[in-house]
């Protein structure tokens, strides 16, 4: 079974400051890892994903995340926050292809990012 | 592509009424997922299909909920009878396994 823990349900930063959203996962098999963003009254949009290969992955809007197997982490960062980054962010895990998971995702509880002027 | 399409976007109904939510996945995608999002429980997977066949419905909360996928381009989630605690945002997502899941805009359901 897989699980995802996002540390901090709310994170507040100033515009221009570093954004760090934490995600730890538990999986008995090699995982695929995802970050999604949800703006108010919208569906979830993929920010970035890790499947195999390079452990530092870059996504849209200047975000990136690093897969650290030894720490079972996949933290999301952005060097300089923008007002438009204010949203809720979800970390998710799925198993590598095989079996009957068909890309089923297990989501964390979400982190609401607030950006102050 | 138009993305995942859900209808209606908003639904307000009275307790006891039947509610049907609709989803059109992205063309060519072979897996479809129904989620429910609430403040209290977060994002929950209700059921998912692969090639129109239900694979896992263990997330469906009770027998009042049912889902069908009669063909590759259409799925429904039905609640009968509806209750106030069913109020939530319901999302549909699709993927071309093992690729990324793409989400629809959601249906906001309010049961009075």
């Amino acid at each position: 079974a897989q699980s995802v823990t996002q540390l901090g349900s709310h994170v507040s930063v100033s515009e221009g400051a570093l954004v760090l959203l934490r995600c730890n996962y538990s999986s008995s098999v090699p995982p695929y890892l995802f970050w999604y963003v949800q703006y108010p009254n919208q569906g979830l949009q993929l920010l970035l994903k890790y499947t195999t290969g390079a452990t530092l992955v870059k996504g849209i809007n200047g975000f990136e995340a690093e897969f650290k197997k030894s720490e079972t982490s996949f933290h999301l960062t952005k060097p300089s926050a923008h007002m438009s980054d204010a949203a809720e962010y979800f970390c998710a895990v799925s198993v590598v292809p095989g079996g009957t998971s068909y890309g089923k995702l297990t989501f964390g509880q979400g982190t609401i990012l607030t950006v102050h002027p | 592509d138009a993305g995942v399409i859900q209808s209606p976007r908003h639904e307000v109904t009275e307790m006891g009424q039947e509610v049907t939510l609709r989803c059109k996945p992205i063309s060519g995608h072979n897996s479809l997922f129904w989620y429910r999002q609430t403040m209290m429980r977060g994002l929950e997977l209700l059921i998912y299909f692969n090639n129109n066949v239900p694979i896992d419905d263990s997330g469906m909360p009770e027998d009042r909920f049912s889902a069908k996928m009669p063909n590759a381009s259409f799925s429904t989630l039905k609640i009968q009878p509806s209750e106030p605690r069913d109020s939530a945002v319901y999302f549909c997502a699709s993927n071309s396994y093992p690729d990324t899941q793409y989400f629809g805009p959601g249906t906001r359901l309010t049961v009075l």
Side-chain angles (χ1 to χ4, degrees):
Chain A
Q2 306 157 92
S3 65
V4 177
T5 302
Q6 292 184 237
L7 300 175
S9 57
H10 290 80
V11 170
S12 181
V13 300
S14 298
E15 192 173 20
L18 171 71
V19 175
L20 171 60
L21 305 183
R22 300 177 186 273
C23 172
N24 288 89
Y25 70 90
S26 172
S27 178
S28 58
V29 296
Y32 283 4
L33 295 160
F34 305 80
W35 277 100
Y36 282 84
V37 61
Q38 184 179 28
Y39 298 103
N41 300 314
Q42 295 187 26
L44 278 71
Q45 177 184 359
L46 181 71
L47 267 182
L48 50 79
K49 65 181 179 182
Y50 168 79
T51 55
T52 58
T55 57
L56 180 64
V57 292
K58 297 184 183 299
I60 61 172
N61 302 337
F63 285 92
E64 64 182 34
E66 186 171 11
F67 169 56
K68 293 187 176 181
K69 184 178 179 180
S70 62
E71 299 177 8
T72 61
S73 69
F74 191 57
H75 301 329
L76 181 70
T77 61
K78 181 175 180 177
S80 177
H82 193 274
M83 297 294 289
S84 61
D85 295 327
E88 188 163 14
Y89 293 79
F90 293 90
C91 183
V93 61
S94 74
V95 298
V96 297
T100 58
S101 69
Y102 297 109
K104 171 185 172 182
L105 294 173
T106 300
F107 283 90
Q109 283 298 100
T111 298
I112 295 173
L113 176 65
T114 302
V115 182
H116 296 287
Chain B
D1 200 312
V4 176
I5 299 172
Q6 293 187 246
S7 64
R9 291 294 309 276
H10 301 273
E11 176 80 28
V12 180
T13 190
E14 294 189 346
M15 182 174 61
Q17 296 298 306
E18 177 180 295
V19 174
T20 299
L21 311 181
R22 297 173 176 79
C23 175
K24 176 178 170 57
I26 294 173
S27 177
H29 284 190
N30 53 10
S31 293
L32 183 141
F33 304 80
W34 281 102
Y35 294 89
R36 179 173 68 175
Q37 186 179 37
T38 62
M39 290 291 292
M40 292 297 294
R41 301 175 67 91
L43 200 59
E44 305 172 274
L45 176 64
L46 301 178
I47 184 172
Y48 64 100
F49 298 81
N50 180 257
N51 291 328
N52 312 335
V53 176
I55 302 300
D56 184 354
D57 66 354
S58 60
M60 297 286 261
E62 47 196 280
D63 292 345
R64 297 184 298 106
F65 286 69
S66 63
K68 294 182 180 179
M69 192 165 186
N71 56 62
S73 59
F74 184 66
S75 177
T76 59
L77 178 67
K78 185 175 294 186
I79 308 173
Q80 166 63 15
S82 58
E83 297 183 2
R85 59 190 168 130
D86 302 330
S87 297
V89 181
Y90 291 82
F91 289 104
C92 175
S94 70
N95 73 354
S96 181
Y97 179 68
D99 204 349
T100 304
Q101 280 188 36
Y102 292 88
F103 282 73
T107 295
R108 183 175 297 275
L109 174 64
T110 303
V111 183
L112 303 174

